[in-house]
């Protein structure tokens, strides 16, 4: 089950970060901020890694970035260098399922920033985007 979802901009500024099932504890929210920040190092390593073959196509899904004691951290990067990070507990393990969640997450983000009133590189405060992410999280938790 997804416990945290984050979107980071091209300059690693947080555009969206939401923790789920924290029971109102401020410490949990800060812990997820730290986990997401640490994931940036793993993303930079994966993006900077040389290609295996000269004609290899860049895959936007980065896979599992690193595990912690309680969670696994997965990453996805768009062609415009927007980073998407999901923190999941140990229950979610299928790579194809995680890949599809990232595609839905990316699509919801694109819909939110396509609003003509959205200012680039600012936090996403769209109620529709937040509802899409929450629906994605709850639907994944029940499947």
């Amino acid at each position: 089950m997804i416990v945290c979802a984050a979107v980071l901009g091209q300059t690693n500024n947080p555009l969206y970060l939401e923790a789920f099932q924290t029971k109102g504890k401020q410490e949990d929210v800060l812990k997820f901020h730290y986990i997401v920040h640490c994931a940036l190092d793993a993303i930079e390593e994966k993006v900077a890694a040389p290609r295996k073959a000269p004609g290899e196509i860049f895959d936007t899904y980065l896979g599992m970035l690193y595990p912690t004691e309680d969670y696994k951290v997965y990453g996805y990067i768009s062609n415009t260098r927007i980073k998407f990070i999901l923190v999941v507990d140990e229950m979610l393990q299928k790579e194809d399922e995680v890949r599809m969640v990232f595609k839905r997450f990316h699509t919801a983000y694109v819909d939110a920033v396509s609003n003509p009133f959205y200012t680039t590189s600012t936090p996403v405060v769209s109620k529709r985007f937040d509802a899409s992410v929450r629906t994605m999280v709850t639907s994944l938790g029940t499947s």
Side-chain angles (χ1 to χ4, degrees):
M1 172 179 265
I2 298 172
V3 293
C4 179
V7 180
L8 301 164
Q10 295 170 337
T11 58
N12 298 333
N13 56 320
L15 301 178
Y16 178 84
L17 193 142
E18 188 66 39
F20 307 99
Q21 300 178 348
T22 59
K23 299 175 185 138
K25 294 182 182 178
Q26 187 64 21
E27 298 85 27
D28 287 344
V29 175
L30 291 174
K31 176 175 65 173
F32 289 123
H33 274 271
Y34 177 73
I35 289 171
V36 167
H37 181 72
C38 290
L40 290 172
D41 292 333
I43 289 173
E44 294 301 323
E45 286 177 13
K46 289 198 175 213
V47 169
R51 306 275 190 265
K52 295 178 183 123
E56 184 180 4
I57 298 172
F58 179 72
D59 188 15
T60 57
Y61 175 67
L62 301 173
M64 187 173 74
L65 301 175
Y66 69 95
T68 66
E69 278 185 33
D70 301 321
Y71 308 109
K72 291 181 182 177
V73 183
Y74 290 88
Y76 179 94
I77 187 167
S78 71
N79 291 332
T80 57
R81 299 293 184 229
I82 302 294
K83 299 153 195 85
F84 298 86
I85 298 171
L86 292 176
V87 181
V88 300
D89 60 8
E90 299 297 325
M91 293 170 56
L92 184 68
Q93 295 179 358
K94 296 179 183 173
E95 288 289 322
D96 292 338
E97 193 173 294
V98 177
R99 186 183 296 264
M100 290 307 298
V101 168
F102 272 119
K103 289 190 186 287
R104 291 189 351 224
F105 193 17
H106 186 202
T107 301
Y109 172 77
V110 169
D111 288 344
V113 299
S114 295
N115 182 343
F117 299 108
Y118 174 75
T119 306
T120 309
S121 298
T122 59
V124 179
V125 291
S126 167
K127 291 179 184 178
R128 191 174 187 185
F129 175 70
D130 193 50
S132 295
V133 173
R134 288 182 185 282
T135 301
M136 177 183 66
V137 168
T138 55
S139 69
L140 187 66
T142 59
S143 60

